Amino acid sequence: MKKYILIMLSLVPFFVRAQNPARDYTNAVLWQQTSGEYRALCFQAYNFARLSLKEAIWSDTSKKPNCVIVDIDETVLDNAAFQGHEIKKGLSYAPADWTEWTGLAQADTVPGALAFLKFAASKNIETFYVSNRDEKDYKATLKNLQQFGFPYADEAHLLVSKGTSDKEARRQKIAETHNILMLCGDNLSDFSNIFYRENKNTKEQVNLNQTLFGVKFIVLPNPMYGDWEKPLYQGEKLSDKDKAKQRLERLKSY
């Protein structure tokens, strides 16, 4: 009897995972919410950003006003509480829940983000917030940024998605009037389309552009979601259970 009990207990994690694939993300969300390492990496990223920005200012010869471009979610605002809410509901992501969350304007700041952008502002460097939040999230997003005192948090500097998650056109629009010294994001697509949108090998492109990271491109940690996950899946209209199965299949082992 004891042998059978042990066998059944050993199978419990598998069945729980199969019944609720959203729980696959529990450790990732908890790491962001509770670990000192998460905060340390954020501070490290923005400390490098400050040093690199100083060097960029010294070597700047452009006649255009200087700026930095930052993503919002997991770059300046932390949405781990939303991800925790979804896991407790047994979901990975529900659009209606996201709209409710953004409407609350309760996302906390990513460690180091506010101090860095205030430093940039003290050097007369503007900040453009380029986000893939929807237009319906616009007012609440501004409210969330403004309540913490983020510089340049206004309608002239917040660019959200208008039917596309591709940020390249928005980056080019900013480049028409401003000299972009730096880009900060948690997703490689926040920097350039070469990493995910041009059907190139992402790891090869990272290797080719390695000298830009920590200098022109500042990467924030985000283990919860991102474009990195999309290539894992094969097929359309996959359920959470389908995705969980494919994630397990893609794991390297020995």
Side-chain angles (χ1 to χ4, degrees):
M1 177 64 71
K2 289 183 179 179
K3 183 184 293 185
Y4 292 122
I5 292 174
L6 287 172
I7 291 173
M8 290 302 293
L9 287 174
S10 69
L11 291 175
V12 167
F14 170 78
F15 285 122
V16 170
R17 185 164 62 249
Q19 292 167 6
N20 188 1
R23 290 194 180 276
D24 281 6
Y25 299 98
T26 300
N27 273 9
V29 175
L30 281 172
W31 183 82
Q32 182 155 321
Q33 290 181 348
T34 66
S35 76
E37 287 82 356
Y38 166 72
R39 296 187 66 81
L41 285 170
C42 292
F43 285 131
Q44 178 174 268
Y46 281 118
N47 285 342
F48 264 105
R50 185 181 295 233
L51 291 172
S52 295
L53 195 61
K54 288 180 180 178
E55 292 191 10
I57 295 170
W58 293 334
S59 60
D60 173 46
T61 59
S62 174
K63 294 182 180 180
K64 297 179 181 178
N66 290 322
C67 76
V68 297
I69 295 178
V70 297
D71 173 51
I72 291 180
D73 298 310
E74 311 340 311
T75 300
V76 298
L77 293 181
D78 178 358
N79 298 287
F82 164 75
Q83 300 297 148
H85 175 271
E86 296 298 88
I87 289 173
K88 288 188 175 184
K89 287 183 64 175
L91 304 171
S92 58
Y93 174 79
D97 290 348
W98 175 250
T99 299
E100 178 184 26
W101 165 249
T102 55
L104 294 173
Q106 291 181 357
D108 201 355
T109 59
V110 168
L114 181 58
F116 168 68
L117 293 179
K118 284 186 174 181
F119 167 77
S122 74
K123 303 298 182 182
N124 296 317
I125 298 172
E126 297 179 42
T127 296
F128 283 91
Y129 302 87
V130 180
S131 171
N132 278 334
R133 290 190 175 197
D134 293 331
E135 287 187 272
K136 63 177 177 291
D137 303 319
Y138 200 97
K139 290 184 178 180
T141 300
L142 276 181
K143 178 182 177 181
N144 205 157
L145 293 169
Q146 289 170 349
Q147 68 187 4
F148 289 114
F150 275 98
Y152 297 98
D154 54 42
E155 293 186 0
H157 291 83
L158 174 59
L159 289 75
V160 296
S161 172
K162 294 186 177 181
T164 177
S165 61
D166 187 346
K167 295 183 175 181
E168 186 60 28
R170 282 171 278 173
R171 289 191 289 259
Q172 291 179 359
K173 186 68 174 177
I174 294 169
E176 290 176 4
T177 57
H178 288 72
N179 179 38
I180 302 170
L181 295 178
M182 181 177 290
L183 301 97
C184 305
D186 64 300
N187 193 318
L188 293 176
S189 294
D190 294 327
F191 310 123
S192 171
N193 281 7
I194 62 173
F195 297 110
Y196 285 112
R197 294 184 174 275
E198 296 181 1
N199 297 317
K200 296 179 180 180
N201 184 298
T202 299
K203 288 186 177 180
E204 288 182 0
Q205 292 304 313
V206 169
N207 290 344
L208 290 171
N209 292 277
Q210 60 185 278
T211 59
L212 295 177
F213 293 102
V215 180
K216 179 89 171 182
F217 301 158
I218 304 298
V219 186
L220 281 299
N222 175 10
M224 302 187 299
Y225 63 88
D227 282 346
W228 66 269
E229 194 175 350
K230 294 176 183 177
L232 298 178
Y233 306 128
Q234 301 295 321
E236 298 180 359
K237 298 182 179 179
L238 299 174
S239 67
D240 280 346
K241 188 175 293 187
D242 293 331
K243 290 181 178 180
K245 182 175 182 294
Q246 291 191 27
R247 283 194 297 271
L248 189 60
E249 292 170 348
R250 292 295 298 272
L251 283 173
K252 294 181 179 180
S253 184
Y254 65 92

